[in-house]
């Protein structure tokens, strides 16, 4: 199996604070990998380093064999890595369909001159993009919402649109930052099936951060635990549940 | 061509028919205001592209309009005129003998301004937030100081006088319609969606693979081009330009227009331009001396600005997002409106 993402001793320091300390992980293709840890453990920082939003103090990130440290985030997206945000960040004044369309931007096939002159090339590709976007929405079951404003959707659907929008960029690796945050148990369950489904139909590798233990334990094949920026454990769900270091990180020391 | 395109073309033809009729039948004063409306429509639409659609709070128009005005003015003045005008210091020789007709002068004015926008955009769009407003505000002031002191090029504080009056109603509205077409086509394409994405959430836009720096640059440079052309049209309309003419007040007026019309709405901008420009003319009445119920009020200069401000406050209270909000006028919505009325009547 190919290694999709390899983090090699990533360290991220903000002044005197070490948010992530020598984090290493290997994520194989087609797996669902979970990253958990108490609040402030540095999970989102690790995400931001991987997606290129932050430049690590030291360490290396390898994406399908290529080092991506120092590349601009939009460049990394065009290489096949997409992400969602902890607090849903849709383009609220655009419709659902338009939100999806922005995902095609990096492979746009007409230029500004085509746009202003409305050349046949513009019409052809604009139509193609719209059709592809509709197909994508159909495959994730959101087609009937295509022309609604993103801000008007209920919370659970907004999350699904956000994931669909990330899928529009044509990713090989999907990074989800707390996808189940703020959801009720039913929505969480739906989301679990949703992720499972898109993973299969889009042939993805998924890397997610989550607080909801049931969600992580049911969905992920491998889980890594981060505490105070340090990785304290990695393994399958059963191993993680029994790991004394993990229990101590979450519940405190029993002896103390 | 479908029905809607025909309607749009028809309404543009109707607009030009009105202007053609007005050219012969309306007073010179009224036509002068309509010329101003045309120029301001172009300026406001391009300003709305960067401020409303892309969501970058910029205060650049007065600086860019000044550059366009100066470049065009220098190009359309004859060598003899320039020689007579530059009495303190003679003009630099290569500019002294440069002379061309109106259209290329406008284009060059626009291109020079676009290039300045390009250079200015490089440092500013690398950072986010209020820096753009601060830099562009400062830029407007800098242009004023520069044009005051580069006497061999701009004739300093004396300004440039006696510009040939090429600007007619057709130039103004030709450019206005052209600018509207270009800008609206940009807005209704992937580039426009990317601009709106940057406005709504820049981080998410980056995460979608959008090169936000160049998207912002595209909007800024396009706006700069049309503002430069608008400056050239204004210069030839007013026939005199000086460093103190293009102050922050011009930017402020455009800001009023786009806020009243609705940030991000081009059709709203068109409506608001007419309302604001004609409004401030019609309101001149309140500055005349008048008698109300036997009470004599002498003319108070500046009174119309007070009334105008009150109107603006009312708009901000009752239509916070401007006349059109972020919506655009479309034939569909008009048809729907009439359909609904018909149903209601039954």
């Amino acid at each position: 199996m190919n290694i999709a993402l390899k983090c090699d001793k990533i360290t991220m320091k903000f002044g005197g604070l070490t948010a992530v300390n020598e984090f290493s992980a290997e994520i194989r293709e087609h797996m669902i990998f979970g990253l958990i840890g108490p609040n402030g453990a540095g999970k989102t920082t690790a995400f931001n380093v991987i997606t290129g939003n932050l430049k690590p103090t030291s360490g290396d990130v390898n994406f399908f064999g290529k080092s991506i440290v120092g590349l601009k985030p939009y460049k990394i997206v065009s290489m096949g890595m997409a992400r969602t945000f902890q607090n849903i960040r849709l383009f609220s004044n655009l419709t659902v369909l338009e939100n999806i369309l922005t995902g095609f931007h990096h492979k746009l096939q007409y230029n500004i001159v085509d746009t202003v002159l409305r050349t046949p090339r513009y019409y052809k590709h604009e139509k193609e993009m719209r059709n592809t976007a509709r197909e994508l929405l159909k495959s994730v079951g959101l087609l009937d919402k295509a022309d609604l404003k993103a801000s008007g959707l209920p919370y659970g659907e907004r999350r699904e649109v956000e994931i669909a929008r990330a899928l529009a960029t044509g990713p090989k690796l999907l990074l989800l930052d707390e996808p189940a945050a703020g959801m009720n148990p039913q929505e969480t369950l739906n989301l679990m099936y949703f992720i499972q489904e898109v993973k299969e139909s889009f042939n993805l590798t998924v890397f997610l951060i989550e607080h909801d233990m049931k969600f992580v334990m049911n969905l992920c094949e491998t889980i890594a635990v981060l505490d105070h920026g340090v990785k304290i454990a990695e393994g399958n769900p059963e191993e993680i549940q029994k790991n004394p270091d993990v229990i101590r990180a979450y519940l405190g020391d029993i002896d103390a | 061509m479908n029905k809607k395109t025909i309607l749009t073309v028809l309404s543009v033809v109707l607009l030009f028919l009105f202007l053609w009729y007005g050219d012969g039948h309306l007073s010179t004063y009224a036509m002068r205001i309509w010329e101003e409306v045309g120029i301001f429509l172009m300026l406001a639409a391009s300003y709305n592209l960067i401020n409303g659609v892309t969501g970058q709070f910029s205060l650049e128009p007065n600086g860019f309009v000044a550059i366009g005005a100066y470049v065009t003015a220098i190009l359309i003045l004859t060598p003899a005129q320039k020689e007579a005008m530059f009495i303190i210091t003679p003009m630099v020789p290569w500019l002294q003998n440069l002379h061309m007709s109106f259209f290329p002068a406008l284009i060059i004015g626009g291109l020079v301004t676009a290039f300045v926008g390009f250079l200015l955009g490089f440092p500013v769009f690398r950072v986010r937030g209020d820096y753009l407003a601060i830099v562009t505000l400062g830029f407007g002031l800098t242009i004023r100081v520069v044009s005051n002191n580069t006497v061999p090029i701009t004739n300093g504080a004396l300004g440039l006088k006696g510009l040939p009056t090429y600007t007619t109603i057709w130039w103004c509205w030709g450019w206005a319609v052209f600018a509207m077409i270009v800008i609206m086509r940009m807005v209704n394409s992937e580039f426009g969606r990317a601009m709106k994405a940057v406005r709504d959430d820049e981080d998410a836009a980056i995460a979608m693979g959008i090169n936000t720096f160049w998207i912002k640059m595209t909007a800024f440079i396009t706006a700069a081009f049309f503002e430069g052309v608008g400056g050239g049209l204004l210069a030839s309309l007013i026939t005199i330009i000086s460093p103190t003419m293009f102050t922050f007040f011009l930017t402020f007026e455009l800001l009023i227009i786009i806020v009243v019309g609705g940030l991000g709405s081009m059709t709203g901008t068109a409506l608001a331009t007419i309302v604001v420009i004609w409004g401030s003319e019609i309101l001149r009445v309140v500055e005349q001396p008048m008698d109300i119920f036997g009470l004599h009020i002498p003319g108070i200069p500046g009174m119309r600005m007070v009334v105008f401000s009150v109107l603006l406050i009312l708009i901000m209270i009752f239509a916070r997002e401007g006349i059109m909000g972020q919506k655009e006028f479309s034939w569909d919505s008009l048809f729907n409106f009439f359909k609904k009325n018909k149903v209601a009547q039954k």
Side-chain angles (χ1 to χ4, degrees):
Chain A
M1 275 259 211
N2 280 331
I3 303 293
L5 184 77
K6 190 177 163 197
C7 302
D8 193 15
K9 292 188 177 167
I10 302 173
T11 301
M12 186 71 226
K13 287 181 185 168
F14 298 109
L17 178 86
T18 309
V20 178
N21 197 358
E22 301 207 335
F23 174 76
S24 296
E26 275 186 9
I27 300 169
R28 277 176 287 112
E29 225 179 332
H30 306 309
M31 77 185 296
I32 299 185
F33 186 94
L35 181 63
I36 61 171
N39 284 328
K43 304 182 295 290
T44 300
T45 308
F47 251 41
N48 285 337
V49 169
I50 292 167
T51 53
N53 288 50
L54 292 171
K55 199 169 183 274
T57 318
S58 66
D60 191 33
V61 183
N62 248 283
F63 183 54
F64 284 98
K66 279 188 211 119
S67 174
I68 54 171
V69 167
L71 289 181
K72 289 269 190 300
Y74 65 85
K75 202 94 206 165
I76 296 175
V77 173
S78 65
M79 291 169 73
M81 187 193 290
R83 73 169 296 179
T84 66
F85 294 89
Q86 194 167 348
N87 42 340
I88 300 173
R89 295 174 91 159
L90 289 174
F91 308 124
S92 45
N93 291 307
L94 300 186
T95 64
V96 170
L97 187 75
E98 286 171 330
N99 264 283
I100 304 291
L101 284 168
T102 58
F104 300 139
H105 186 87
H106 67 93
K107 24 185 185 187
L108 190 63
Q109 290 183 55
Y110 60 77
N111 56 35
I112 202 89
V113 180
D114 292 317
T115 304
V116 172
L117 298 180
R118 287 287 195 258
T119 57
R121 187 149 62 143
Y122 166 84
Y123 284 111
K124 181 174 162 249
H125 291 299
E126 186 74 10
K127 202 176 162 195
E128 267 174 22
M129 276 161 54
R130 280 177 189 275
N131 286 342
T132 321
R134 282 190 182 277
E135 268 166 40
L136 177 70
L137 280 175
K138 198 175 170 191
S139 70
V140 296
L142 290 164
L143 189 58
D144 51 329
K145 305 285 191 311
D147 296 319
L148 295 179
K149 259 196 177 185
S151 53
L153 294 177
Y155 192 81
E157 280 178 353
R158 273 199 294 214
R159 177 66 79 190
E160 289 177 6
V161 172
E162 203 195 15
I163 294 175
R165 188 182 66 175
L167 292 174
T169 64
K172 290 181 270 187
L173 174 68
L174 185 62
L175 289 94
L176 305 172
D177 195 350
E178 297 203 23
M183 287 191 171
N184 65 35
Q186 187 55 45
E187 284 173 327
T188 308
L189 202 64
N190 289 345
L191 183 72
M192 228 165 80
Y193 293 129
F194 184 78
I195 293 173
Q196 199 72 263
E197 256 175 53
V198 294
K199 186 220 155 198
E200 291 306 324
S201 51
F202 289 87
N203 207 5
L204 294 173
T205 313
V206 179
F207 180 6
L208 57 86
I209 294 175
E210 191 44 75
H211 268 306
D212 189 321
M213 284 305 148
K214 214 171 120 196
F215 184 86
V216 179
M217 297 298 166
N218 282 324
L219 200 60
C220 300
E221 295 151 49
T222 308
I223 296 165
V225 188
L226 211 58
D227 186 31
H228 293 105
V230 184
K231 187 168 91 173
I232 54 170
E234 186 178 335
N236 61 35
E238 290 83 49
E239 287 166 8
I240 293 296
Q241 274 167 333
K242 288 181 196 130
N243 190 311
D245 286 335
V246 177
I247 297 168
R248 195 174 303 127
Y250 270 92
L251 301 174
D253 213 325
I254 299 163
D255 305 328
Chain B
M1 255 204 280
N2 59 16
K3 205 164 62 178
K4 279 177 265 173
T5 327
I6 295 169
L7 275 172
T8 310
V9 172
L10 267 181
S11 49
V12 172
V13 170
L14 215 66
L15 169 77
F16 278 100
L17 274 178
F18 164 72
L19 294 175
W20 175 72
Y21 170 81
D23 212 13
H25 294 77
L26 291 178
S27 66
T28 335
Y29 165 70
M31 283 322 278
R32 173 67 182 252
I33 308 298
W34 278 113
E35 283 169 357
E36 217 171 290
V37 170
I39 296 176
F40 269 78
L41 173 55
M42 174 161 80
L43 295 178
S46 49
Y47 190 36
N48 206 351
L49 182 69
I50 185 76
N51 245 340
V53 178
T54 321
Q56 305 298 310
F57 186 46
S58 161
L59 299 168
E60 91 290 352
N62 60 324
F64 283 178
V65 167
I67 294 174
Y70 266 106
V71 171
T72 310
I74 289 169
L75 290 176
I76 56 175
L77 282 169
T78 60
Q81 271 182 305
K82 288 180 208 170
E83 204 170 355
M85 214 180 311
F86 283 69
I87 44 173
I88 301 175
T89 326
M91 197 176 199
V92 283
W94 64 277
L95 280 176
Q96 164 74 37
N97 295 316
L98 210 56
H99 175 65
M100 56 180 75
S101 53
F102 194 39
F103 186 70
L106 281 178
I107 297 285
I108 291 175
L111 289 178
V112 169
T113 315
F115 183 67
V116 173
F118 173 77
L119 293 181
L120 189 66
F122 256 97
V124 241
F125 287 129
R126 298 218 167 262
V127 289
R128 289 200 210 167
D130 306 326
Y131 301 101
L132 180 63
I134 297 165
V135 172
T136 46
L137 180 65
F139 177 76
L141 297 171
T142 312
I143 287 297
R144 195 169 123 189
V145 174
V146 167
S147 53
N148 230 331
N149 289 295
T150 50
V151 183
I153 297 171
T154 62
N155 208 15
L158 291 176
L160 301 170
K161 297 182 201 74
L163 303 177
T165 42
Y166 294 127
T167 306
T168 60
I169 191 89
W170 306 113
W171 280 106
C172 295
W173 280 90
W175 272 104
V177 168
F178 175 68
M180 282 297 266
I181 291 172
V182 169
I183 290 171
M184 286 187 84
R185 283 185 166 182
M186 258 167 98
V187 172
N188 292 317
S189 76
E190 181 51 45
F191 292 98
R193 285 193 291 273
M195 285 169 192
K196 290 176 193 163
V198 170
R199 173 192 63 198
D200 282 0
D201 194 324
E202 194 167 342
D203 287 317
I206 294 170
M208 285 298 100
I210 294 169
N211 187 342
T212 54
F213 174 74
W214 278 108
I215 284 297
K216 288 187 273 187
M217 281 293 261
T218 308
F220 197 56
I221 292 169
T222 311
F225 175 79
F226 286 121
E227 278 157 6
V229 173
L233 288 171
L234 269 179
S236 176
L237 182 74
I238 308 172
T239 70
I240 168 171
I241 53 173
S242 69
T244 49
M245 243 180 70
F246 305 104
T247 56
F248 181 67
F249 192 76
L250 176 71
T251 301
F252 189 62
E253 206 168 352
L254 291 171
L255 196 60
I256 290 174
I257 291 175
I258 63 172
V259 170
V260 167
L263 285 171
S265 169
M266 291 299 155
T267 39
T269 301
L271 269 175
T273 311
I274 297 173
V275 169
V276 170
I277 301 287
W278 268 107
S280 57
E281 286 304 319
I282 290 166
L283 281 174
R284 277 185 199 280
V285 174
V286 300
E287 287 182 9
Q288 306 297 323
M290 52 185 146
D291 292 292
I292 301 172
F293 303 122
L295 185 71
H296 180 72
I297 301 168
I300 307 164
M303 193 60 196
R304 75 193 160 115
M305 274 299 130
V306 176
V307 177
F308 215 73
S309 309
V310 172
L311 287 178
L312 280 179
I313 292 169
L314 287 178
I315 287 178
M316 285 301 104
I317 292 173
F318 293 108
R320 180 143 320 152
E321 294 205 307
I323 302 173
M324 298 287 287
Q326 285 188 4
K327 290 187 218 63
E328 291 287 357
F329 167 83
S330 69
W331 295 111
D332 284 335
S333 58
L334 193 71
F335 296 149
N336 287 341
F337 180 75
F338 282 117
K339 258 185 215 154
K340 257 185 227 156
N341 275 13
K342 258 183 203 163
V343 172
Q345 276 165 11
K346 277 175 193 169

